[in-house]
Amino acid sequence: MTGYDLAVIGLGYVGMPLAKEATAAGLRVVGYEVDPRKVDALNGGRSYIDDLTDADLEHMLAGGFRATLDESVLAESRTIVICVPTPLDDDHRPDLSAVEGATATVAKNLTAGSLVVLESTTWPGTTDEVARPLLESSGLVAGRDFHLAFSPERIDPGNPKFGLRNTPKVVGGYTDACRDVAAAFYAQFIEQVVPVSGTREAEMAKLLENTYRHVNIALVNEMAIFCDELGINLWESIEAAATKPFGFQKFLPGPGVGGHCIPVDPSYLSYTVRKLGYPFRFVELAQEINERMPSYVVTRVQRLLNRHKKAVNGSKVALLGVTYKPDIADERETPALPVARGLLELGAELVFVDPHVKQWQVDGTAVPREENLAKAVAEADVTLLLQQHGAFDLAIVEDHGKLVLDTRGVLAEGERVERL
């Protein structure tokens, strides 16, 4: 087959690292995207991904990578990997519209002998029950005329230690032959491939990873609430427990969960279980606790001001860090949004400080940005540390904040500084 070794569908936080590593390994890579702004930016050497610099993109372009709006490139590609978003709808049910649309596009351009891999996080059974019938509408049969596999993405934006290449890659195929072909494909540029017996096992592995984190974060979040009332320093207790060299993994409380994985993936698993006729109580309880945290943060701000004879209404609140992770620009599902919404409803005047975000809105209302951390802290009635970006001088916050609520446990507690 002439043309491309790999076509990546969806050029975001998952698709672009994949394209980068495959291009670096010498594969002929094309990226298919429906957003013309992304295509223009990438072909112009302008990255919009935290983990991909403009210099990285220039290397990719020099290596033959290009982005396109033309779906016909899929017919010229030996392997097609689908990396489109899988959010929740308004009722917290899986929204597979992007997966279905991308898969239907692949079906129109599918050629015999191709490998199709779904990487988008979804409920167990999606590859077989949703993707396969769409692909087979082409007249080609999975496992006979083309190979079909699922391999969950494990991208962790901003992680300096683990990237695509050195993070083990789980691969499950529709047939054993499909699995082996997919494993051989990924082995070209990923150090360790972990084959599993089928697509459902691979789909479940992803949901298990993030449900594990979701439940444990909920545990320490709930403990943070009652430890505050008991007068116990939970942060110190967590560090003490973490000295145990076995049987304990450290999780930290926070203002809520963010990103695509933790707020979303467990709901896909809960959806799967509910189809069996009963609830996944662990996940639904964890969801309830973690979704409660932003309102708890607002309550703590209210209480902090009240102790100093001030109301939230009319008080100036500086929000430090509005992304969901430190040192990246990713705002997906950031808990800063419901926190800000709650404060605005109580009449607070907000400003935000974030070196990675130039403009920020809450339900269409722009929140003023303050570039100078010291000025923002000095002028605020309350400083709310929501994300501990490395660019923040924490000493300024500790020394100059009139009242400070630290939701990340990185500031020294004092007369004016409280931890969550």
Side-chain angles (χ1 to χ4, degrees):
M1 182 187 290
T2 59
Y4 302 99
D5 298 308
L6 169 64
V8 178
I9 302 180
L11 305 180
Y13 282 89
V14 176
M16 285 310 297
L18 174 65
K20 173 188 171 184
E21 291 296 344
T23 302
L27 276 65
R28 295 162 296 176
V29 182
V30 65
Y32 171 66
E33 176 59 65
V34 296
D35 185 342
R37 295 170 300 177
K38 289 184 177 180
V39 170
D40 289 344
L42 293 173
N43 289 334
R46 302 183 306 278
S47 174
Y48 46 81
I49 304 297
D50 282 303
D51 290 340
L52 187 76
T53 66
D54 288 352
D56 291 333
L57 186 52
E58 288 295 341
H59 284 300
M60 290 176 65
L61 294 169
F65 171 80
R66 71 181 181 96
T68 183
L69 297 166
D70 181 5
E71 68 181 60
S72 69
V73 297
L74 304 178
E76 305 169 28
S77 302
R78 185 183 302 273
T79 297
I80 301 168
V81 179
I82 299 171
C83 304
V84 296
T86 48
L88 300 175
D89 64 18
D90 292 339
D91 296 319
H92 274 253
R93 294 175 303 187
D95 179 359
L96 295 185
S97 57
V99 167
E100 291 167 343
T103 306
T105 300
V106 173
K108 288 189 292 182
N109 296 277
L110 190 60
T111 55
S114 299
L115 165 65
V116 180
V117 184
L118 178 61
E119 285 205 3
S120 305
T121 302
T122 185
W123 47 266
T126 300
T127 305
D128 184 32
E129 298 170 18
V130 178
R132 183 173 63 83
L134 285 169
L135 293 168
E136 290 184 342
S137 69
S138 65
L140 301 176
V141 177
R144 186 189 74 187
D145 303 317
F146 69 95
H147 301 289
L148 176 63
F150 181 83
S151 181
E153 61 88 5
R154 282 174 159 175
I155 300 297
D156 185 19
N159 190 321
K161 184 177 181 181
F162 291 106
L164 183 75
R165 175 175 288 276
N166 66 345
T167 300
K169 196 84 169 86
V170 174
V171 177
Y174 175 62
T175 65
D176 289 351
C178 292
R179 175 198 63 206
D180 294 343
V181 169
F185 163 72
Y186 283 113
Q188 295 175 90
F189 52 89
I190 293 177
E191 293 173 6
Q192 181 184 357
V193 175
V194 182
V196 295
S197 60
T199 55
R200 284 173 171 80
E201 286 73 19
E203 289 162 336
M204 181 60 81
K206 171 66 173 182
L207 298 185
L208 175 60
E209 293 168 17
N210 286 323
T211 299
Y212 170 82
R213 294 168 61 200
H214 184 57
V215 168
N216 281 280
I217 290 169
L219 172 66
V220 292
N221 275 338
E222 188 163 38
M223 292 182 76
I225 293 171
F226 67 70
C227 280
D228 174 62
E229 295 184 27
L230 292 172
I232 296 170
N233 186 332
L234 177 62
W235 302 93
E236 187 176 344
S237 297
I238 290 171
E239 295 302 326
T243 62
K244 186 178 181 180
F246 53 89
F248 182 82
Q249 184 177 357
K250 183 171 76 172
F251 288 85
L252 297 173
V257 292
H260 177 269
C261 293
I262 301 300
V264 174
D265 293 2
S267 292
Y268 274 68
L269 188 50
S270 179
Y271 169 80
T272 302
V273 176
R274 279 198 170 272
K275 289 196 296 181
L276 300 175
Y278 49 86
F280 190 177
R281 289 178 292 172
F282 250 95
V283 163
E284 293 178 11
L285 177 60
Q287 195 88 12
E288 179 186 327
I289 293 168
N290 287 333
E291 288 181 353
R292 173 189 174 188
M293 291 308 292
S295 63
Y296 175 67
V297 170
V298 172
T299 299
R300 288 288 300 273
V301 170
Q302 196 171 18
R303 195 177 78 189
L304 186 59
L305 282 165
N306 189 58
R307 280 207 299 267
H308 290 80
K309 298 181 173 54
K310 293 183 179 180
V312 177
N313 191 0
S315 290
K316 191 167 187 179
V317 182
L319 307 179
L320 307 189
V322 296
T323 62
Y324 92 91
K325 282 187 68 177
D327 303 323
I328 64 169
D330 196 342
E331 301 172 40
R332 292 177 296 173
E333 304 294 332
T334 173
L337 186 59
V339 168
R341 184 180 294 124
L343 290 169
L344 286 171
E345 287 173 356
L346 291 175
E349 298 176 12
L350 303 183
V351 297
F352 82 96
V353 184
D354 197 310
H356 305 281
V357 178
K358 302 306 178 187
Q359 294 179 322
W360 194 56
Q361 294 184 342
V362 177
D363 302 330
T365 300
V367 177
R369 181 177 187 266
E370 177 54 67
E371 195 158 337
N372 188 307
L373 175 65
K375 182 174 183 288
V377 170
E379 292 180 353
D381 295 297
V382 176
T383 297
L384 182 53
L385 180 64
L386 293 172
Q387 197 54 264
Q388 70 275 33
H389 292 313
F392 288 153
D393 186 340
L394 299 182
I396 289 176
V397 182
E398 291 171 345
D399 295 342
H400 300 289
K402 297 172 185 174
L403 296 172
V404 180
L405 179 61
D406 170 17
T407 70
R408 297 297 179 177
V410 294
L411 301 176
E413 288 192 282
E415 185 179 339
R416 293 173 289 103
V417 179
E418 285 187 7
R419 285 180 175 178
L420 190 65

